[in-house]
């Protein structure tokens, strides 16, 4: 499995976890939004790997945006869920 595809599974799973209403929000608040910085870095790494492997970078770019928007409670939760769906679908899509 390509590194970019594996990282999309990882970041998609993390985004899905952060999208869980009470649990994800509690993690974001308990780390004083530090987890959003970690996710931004993971999305940046995934973007670089995907770009190098000629794979889609849309999910990683959206994830980086979500890391900034994640500080807004309801909007952040929705963005985490949307980003998770896009990353997981992209990771499950076979290479051409």
């Amino acid at each position: 499995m390509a590194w970019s595809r594996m990282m999309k599974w990882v970041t998609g799973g993390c985004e899905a976890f952060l999208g869980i209403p009470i649990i994800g929000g509690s993690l974001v608040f308990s780390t004083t939004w530090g987890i959003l910085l970690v996710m931004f870095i993971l999305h940046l790494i995934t973007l670089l790997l995907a770009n190098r492997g000629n794979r889609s970078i849309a999910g990683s770019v959206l994830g980086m945006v979500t890391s900034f928007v994640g500080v807004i409670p309801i909007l952040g939760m929705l963005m985490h869920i949307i980003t998770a769906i896009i990353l997981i679908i992209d990771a499950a899509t076979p290479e051409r």
Side-chain angles (χ1 to χ4, degrees):
M1 181 181 297
W3 283 101
S4 64
R5 195 168 174 198
M6 183 178 63
M7 284 298 293
K8 287 180 184 185
W9 280 112
V10 169
T11 55
C14 292
E15 288 290 349
F17 183 79
L18 290 174
I20 300 171
I22 302 298
I23 299 169
S26 296
L27 180 62
V28 170
F29 289 135
S30 70
T31 62
T32 55
W33 294 275
I35 193 71
L36 297 178
L37 177 61
V38 170
M39 287 306 298
F40 181 84
I41 293 168
L42 288 175
H43 286 301
L44 180 61
I45 292 168
T46 306
L47 177 121
L48 295 173
L49 289 171
N51 192 32
R52 184 176 173 201
N54 293 325
R55 302 260 313 166
S56 172
I57 61 169
S60 299
V61 171
L62 183 60
M64 291 166 54
V65 171
T66 299
S67 295
F68 286 109
V69 177
V71 299
I72 304 169
I74 303 297
L75 180 61
M77 179 189 71
L78 293 173
M79 289 294 292
H80 284 302
I81 293 168
I82 292 167
T83 303
I85 292 168
I86 291 172
L87 282 166
I88 291 170
I89 288 172
D90 192 26
T93 305
E95 295 182 33
R96 297 178 217 171

